[in-house]
């Protein structure tokens, strides 16, 4: 019986190790991860695994570095899920933003031809190629704003009602249920500063 339990423990350890895709670089105040029935408090150097649902509490901040250099920053009271992240055998990443605010600076995963990197949100999806951008519920929970901060490649924001391409840094769009993404426009300095403050 002891041998069986030990074997199961070893297999479980290997399974988690195989699924590790990132490490926490910063965890300020309450930052947690939920995967199946496992609930973990995250601190600096904590591992992040595929299917982890990340959550930050009030006034919390988190920053996660993926194996190939992609950086994910999370603001307070943010829910964000790492559904898939494959870099070695393919270029395939799938995240899900639920609420809060985030910023992504991509690493090597998008430096290939036609990378498959998408973020699902409650109001649409964001398709990514090598980029630095911010997204979140900036002023209310009923809208999701997205702004391209710096990039050699565009981001594609779309839902069942429409699709926009943002290729110029400083331009953003807004997602709202039942509506197409708004026509990209240059954000004011105040709006940009308000967005950046959420993940600082």
């Amino acid at each position: 019986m002891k041998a069986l339990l030990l074997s199961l423990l070893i297999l479980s350890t290997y399974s988690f190790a195989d699924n590790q895709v990132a490490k926490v670089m910063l965890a300020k105040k309450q930052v947690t991860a939920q995967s199946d029935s496992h609930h973990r408090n995250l601190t600096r150097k904590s591992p992040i695994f595929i299917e982890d649902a990340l959550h930050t509490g009030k006034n919390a901040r988190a920053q996660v570095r993926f194996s190939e250099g992609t950086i994910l920053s999370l603001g307070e009271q943010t829910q964000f899920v790492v559904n898939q992240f494959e870099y070695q055998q393919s270029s395939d990443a799938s995240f899900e933003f639920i609420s809060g605010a985030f910023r992504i600076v991509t690493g090597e995963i998008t430096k290939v031809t036609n990378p498959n990197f998408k973020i699902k949100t409650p109001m649409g999806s964001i398709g990514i190629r090598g980029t630095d951008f911010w997204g979140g519920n900036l002023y209310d929970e009923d809208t999701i704003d997205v702004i391209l901060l710096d990039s050699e490649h565009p981001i594609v924001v779309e839902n069942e009602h429409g699709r926009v391409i943002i290729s110029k840094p400083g331009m953003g769009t807004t997602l709202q249920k039942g509506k197409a993404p708004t026509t990209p426009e240059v954000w004011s300095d105040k709006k940009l500063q308000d967005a950046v403050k959420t993940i600082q």
Side-chain angles (χ1 to χ4, degrees), residues 81-132:
V81 184
V82 180
N83 290 318
Q84 178 63 29
F85 196 89
E86 172 58 50
Y87 169 61
Q88 296 296 333
Q89 298 180 359
S90 65
S91 180
D92 188 4
S94 174
F95 295 161
E96 182 175 358
F97 166 73
I98 299 171
S99 61
F102 71 96
R103 178 180 182 177
I104 287 181
V105 181
T106 57
E108 296 295 322
I109 193 168
T110 53
K111 294 182 180 179
V112 298
T113 303
N114 298 321
N116 183 22
F117 195 153
K118 281 194 174 183
I119 297 178
K120 178 184 176 183
T121 82
M123 301 172 198
S125 66
I126 306 166
I128 307 164
R129 295 180 61 196
T131 190
D132 174 0

Side-chain angles (χ1 to χ4, degrees), residues 5-123:
L5 289 174
L6 181 59
S7 297
L8 290 173
L9 179 60
I10 291 172
L11 287 172
S12 176
T13 301
Y14 282 138
S15 176
F16 272 108
D18 290 344
N19 287 332
Q20 181 177 341
V21 291
K23 279 187 177 181
V24 175
M25 297 173 63
L26 169 72
K28 178 182 177 183
K29 298 197 174 182
Q30 185 183 29
V31 182
T32 62
Q34 180 83 28
S35 181
D36 295 326
S37 60
H38 301 282
H39 182 86
R40 314 188 313 275
N41 290 318
L42 301 179
T43 59
R44 187 173 179 271
K45 296 186 178 180
S46 291
I48 300 297
F49 304 102
I50 292 173
E51 297 185 358
D52 268 351
L54 309 178
H55 183 269
T56 59
K58 186 176 181 180
N59 297 321
R61 296 289 188 275
Q63 193 170 76
V64 173
R65 186 181 191 278
F66 287 80
S67 56
E68 45 54 83
T70 292
I71 304 294
L72 167 66
S73 300
L74 302 176
E76 69 169 338
Q77 296 180 327
T78 294
Q79 297 181 67
F80 197 97
V81 184
V82 180
N83 290 318
Q84 178 63 29
F85 196 89
E86 172 58 50
Y87 169 61
Q88 296 296 333
Q89 298 180 359
S90 65
S91 180
D92 188 4
S94 174
F95 295 161
E96 182 175 358
F97 166 73
I98 299 171
S99 61
F102 71 96
R103 178 180 182 177
I104 287 181
V105 181
T106 57
E108 296 295 322
I109 193 168
T110 53
K111 294 182 180 179
V112 298
T113 303
N114 298 321
N116 183 22
F117 195 153
K118 281 194 174 183
I119 297 178
K120 178 184 176 183
T121 82
M123 301 172 198

Side-chain angles (χ1 to χ4, degrees), residues 78-195:
T78 294
Q79 297 181 67
F80 197 97
V81 184
V82 180
N83 290 318
Q84 178 63 29
F85 196 89
E86 172 58 50
Y87 169 61
Q88 296 296 333
Q89 298 180 359
S90 65
S91 180
D92 188 4
S94 174
F95 295 161
E96 182 175 358
F97 166 73
I98 299 171
S99 61
F102 71 96
R103 178 180 182 177
I104 287 181
V105 181
T106 57
E108 296 295 322
I109 193 168
T110 53
K111 294 182 180 179
V112 298
T113 303
N114 298 321
N116 183 22
F117 195 153
K118 281 194 174 183
I119 297 178
K120 178 184 176 183
T121 82
M123 301 172 198
S125 66
I126 306 166
I128 307 164
R129 295 180 61 196
T131 190
D132 174 0
F133 76 100
W134 178 96
N137 307 116
L138 185 55
Y139 296 126
D140 61 69
E141 296 180 356
D142 295 327
T143 59
I144 295 174
D145 287 301
V146 180
I147 182 171
L148 185 63
L149 297 174
D150 188 22
S151 179
E152 297 179 2
H153 303 284
I155 57 175
V156 178
V157 183
E158 60 186 332
N159 58 23
E160 65 269 32
H161 303 287
R163 179 176 187 261
V164 298
I165 297 174
I166 305 176
S167 56
K168 183 178 178 181
M171 297 191 75
T173 184
T174 299
L175 284 164
Q176 191 172 4
K177 286 184 178 179
K179 297 182 179 181
T182 60
T183 302
E185 62 181 10
V186 176
W187 282 16
S188 67
D189 288 342
K190 181 184 184 304
K191 188 172 182 178
L192 176 58
Q193 290 170 8
D194 288 345

